[in-house]
Amino acid sequence: GEMEYFHVFFQTFMLLPDNVESAKNQPIPWLFLFQLSGIFFLYSWAFKRFVAEKVFRAIATEHGKSTSNNVLKPLTLTFGLAHIDFQFYFVFLNLGIIIGAKNPFLFRQDHWFSQQPSNSILPISLRVYYIAYAARYISLLFLSLTQRGIRPCLESLVHCIATINLVLLSYAYGWVKVGIVLMVIMDLAEPFLHFGKQVYCFQKLFIGTDFERHLDPISNFLFTAFSALFFLTRIIMFPCIFYLICEKVEEYQGLLHNPRKFMKIGFEMQAMYFALITLLLLQLSWFHAICCMLLKRRKDKA
């Protein structure tokens, strides 16, 4: 029942031993998914508005900055959203690494596709992590859409929708081992990005001061770490895993060489493939933007 899912969710969050096993393949627990999405959304909205933004405004006011002008108001909103993104990415990355380390298939490529498609091989803690991952993206999607004062980024909205689609379909149709691997590697670079955004907000707040210059090497390190990890996980590892999926999953075999086969596979498999392609194209687009930004920073320094 739903209480069992919540019990295991908090057990997983507290990193207690996983002693509850799933005996059979189960459908998506929709009620638990929407309840958890609602909890995540309410927490995100409340913490962003009443903690993160208030702290940023208080620091600005203390240093004689007016938070009502056209520059600092969106800066405050950006800081709040970046802080919430950092919290979720950091927590889920560490949860994925810690609970995933108890399952050796994460480190064995030859295990990613064994006993698949099936989700019955997962202990319930990883099943709950899987659903919580989708709930987190649902909450972030609604938070972005309801964010006042900042126009949501189209690429981020597409990324959220594609990720939710991929996570839920891969769970429902049993491609969960390689799914968890993708979920973990997709989170590796993000904490550096969103922590860097917060540092950047403080740089803009204290622009022209010694404090801004002290923050500059921190900002450079975070952005460099993010760029390196993004290149490793999104430009090298993600396409390699995508290629493996196309080679190992029966419905996708030969699809890269014969795109017409796409029309012959089931709708669910089409939706998963389309989500993977969408995410791959987004990674390439974002990497192009990162390279342009790096070149601009280098040019500015020169």
Side-chain angles (χ1 to χ4, degrees):
E2 306 309 319
M3 290 308 296
E4 181 188 18
Y5 278 108
F6 276 108
H7 168 73
V8 178
F9 174 74
F10 289 111
Q11 180 188 51
T12 302
F13 186 79
M14 297 301 291
L15 307 179
L16 298 176
D18 180 26
N19 54 12
V20 183
E21 295 290 329
S22 171
K24 61 180 181 179
N25 229 27
Q26 294 183 10
I28 296 171
W30 291 106
L31 181 58
F32 173 70
L33 172 66
F34 291 126
Q35 287 173 337
L36 201 55
S37 300
I39 291 170
F40 286 166
F41 173 76
L42 289 175
Y43 168 79
S44 302
W45 178 82
F47 194 96
K48 179 182 74 68
R49 184 167 183 180
F50 298 112
V51 179
E53 291 181 5
K54 276 197 170 184
V55 168
F56 191 83
R57 278 196 296 265
I59 294 172
T61 303
E62 185 178 342
H63 289 83
K65 309 288 185 179
S66 173
T67 54
S68 60
N69 65 47
N70 293 330
V71 175
L72 289 174
K73 194 171 182 180
L75 203 60
T76 304
L77 299 176
T78 300
F79 177 83
L81 194 58
H83 183 75
I84 287 299
D85 285 337
F86 172 75
Q87 280 192 28
F88 274 101
Y89 277 109
F90 183 80
V91 169
F92 271 83
L93 171 61
N94 284 280
L95 276 179
I97 291 172
I98 292 170
I99 65 177
K102 297 191 294 182
N103 298 270
F105 68 80
L106 281 179
F107 306 98
R108 295 280 304 275
Q109 178 191 322
D110 55 327
H111 285 198
W112 292 352
F113 299 95
S114 66
Q115 297 179 279
Q116 300 284 270
S118 168
N119 65 25
S120 63
I121 45 84
L122 288 187
I124 197 171
S125 65
L126 278 181
R127 293 161 127 265
V128 168
Y129 169 76
Y130 218 99
I131 298 303
Y133 195 95
R136 155 200 154 195
Y137 268 95
I138 292 172
S139 69
L140 291 178
L141 174 63
F142 279 97
L143 187 67
S144 298
L145 291 172
T146 57
Q147 172 81 347
R148 53 187 175 81
I150 295 182
R151 187 177 179 180
C153 173
L154 178 61
E155 290 87 348
S156 295
L157 296 180
V158 172
H159 175 255
C160 281
I161 294 170
T163 302
I164 293 165
N165 171 62
L166 186 60
V167 170
L168 293 180
L169 284 174
S170 63
Y171 178 88
Y173 291 91
W175 297 102
V176 289
K177 288 184 176 182
V178 71
I180 288 178
V181 174
L182 278 175
M183 286 155 63
V184 172
I185 70 165
M186 292 288 279
D187 281 351
L188 278 171
E190 297 297 324
F192 292 94
L193 171 65
H194 297 293
F195 193 72
K197 284 182 181 179
Q198 295 174 78
V199 173
Y200 175 77
C201 288
F202 278 111
Q203 282 185 283
K204 296 292 285 184
L205 183 64
F206 294 100
I207 191 166
T209 66
D210 289 338
F211 189 58
E212 182 209 3
R213 287 187 285 275
H214 292 321
L215 289 176
D216 195 52
I218 299 174
S219 176
N220 288 337
F221 167 76
L222 291 169
F223 185 73
T224 302
F226 163 72
S227 303
L229 284 171
F230 189 97
F231 178 74
L232 175 65
T233 58
R234 308 289 188 91
I235 305 301
I236 296 180
M237 296 177 70
F238 185 86
C240 289
I241 295 174
F242 174 70
Y243 179 79
L244 279 174
I245 291 171
C246 292
E247 290 295 311
K248 299 289 185 179
V249 177
E250 183 179 354
E251 290 86 346
Y252 296 155
Q253 288 175 359
L255 196 56
L256 291 175
H257 308 290
N258 183 17
R260 293 181 181 179
K261 187 181 176 183
F262 181 78
M263 302 306 298
K264 299 179 182 179
I265 60 179
F267 172 75
E268 298 83 4
M269 299 302 290
Q270 287 179 338
M272 278 194 283
Y273 188 81
F274 184 73
L276 283 167
I277 288 289
T278 301
L279 290 174
L280 179 60
L281 293 176
L282 282 173
Q283 312 319 314
L284 296 174
S285 173
W286 283 334
F287 186 67
H288 175 262
I290 290 170
C291 290
C292 291
M293 193 174 296
L294 285 171
L295 290 172
K296 184 179 182 301
R297 287 168 71 97
R298 185 175 179 180
K299 184 179 178 181
D300 290 344
K301 285 186 178 181

